[in-house]
Amino acid sequence: MSVIRRGASVLAAATALTFGLAAPALAHVTVNPGSAEQGGWTKVAFRVPNERDDASTVKLEVSFPVEHPLVFVSVKPLPGWKAEIVEGKLPKPVKTAYGETVTEAVTKIVWTGGKINPGEFQEFEVSMGPLPKDAAQIVFPATQTYSSKEVVKWDEPPKADGSEAERPAPVLKLTPASGEGHGAVSASPSPAVAAGKPEAASPSVVPVAAGSPGSTADTTARVLGGAGLAVGVIGVGIGVMGLRRRGTRPQD
């Protein structure tokens, strides 16, 4: 019995250790949605779960890439939290997706002032763009700080073999542009309009059902009806005039 108990204790300890090591990886900071189109704009939320039972998350810092700088970045206000957008000089000038050369860009965003209690999570929303056209993904290293002064860095890029790192960084995958939505190319104008020449207005031909208002049959009926009414009016007028003449003839 002692051997069985000892074996059970060892198994329980091993199980607890395994789950203890796996827990941080399961509760890491992520970016949602996890993909966006190359060259476009997107709105994402950095989702931060609090995986500690004895402390609250009180600070989040997300770093932005300098090799693929994002020129326009804005944050959605979050009650209780203060967001600081930090800009910095790039190691070297970089061309954006629209061909512009930039020397400064957003390097990180820091959220402070609020707290994420144990068993809760929070989402920090960001709008950004234009996204690079020649990159397959963007990595956003994040740092999570607790009320206990513990600091956890989620900064490891994806592994080449596809397996998850122990402290994975939030990753936004970039897919080829579909040509729809923001930035989509509209239909080309006609050569005359493109050259700045006014295009002659062509009459629109709309089929009209027979007998319906505006149709040829309906117009003909209206004309005939109007002519008949006019003839009737004239006949009535002639009759009235005849009666008047009879009434005014001198009697013998």
Side-chain angles (χ1 to χ4, degrees), residues 97-187:
Y98 292 104
E100 300 176 349
T101 301
V102 296
T103 58
E104 293 186 356
V106 174
T107 58
K108 65 180 178 180
I109 302 179
V110 182
W111 285 272
T112 56
K115 66 177 181 177
I116 307 173
N117 296 319
E120 298 178 351
F121 75 92
Q122 186 58 268
E123 290 186 336
F124 301 84
E125 293 182 291
V126 178
S127 176
M128 55 190 177
L131 303 175
K133 294 182 177 180
D134 56 352
Q137 63 184 20
I138 300 179
V139 180
F140 297 93
T143 302
Q144 187 175 6
T145 302
Y146 297 89
S147 56
S148 61
K149 308 302 181 183
E150 179 188 7
V151 177
V152 177
K153 292 184 176 295
W154 306 100
D155 56 359
E156 296 182 22
K159 292 185 177 181
D161 60 1
S163 61
E164 190 174 67
E166 183 179 354
R167 301 286 180 180
V171 176
L172 178 66
K173 295 186 180 298
L174 301 180
T175 59
S178 64
E180 300 177 355
H182 183 81
V185 180
S186 59

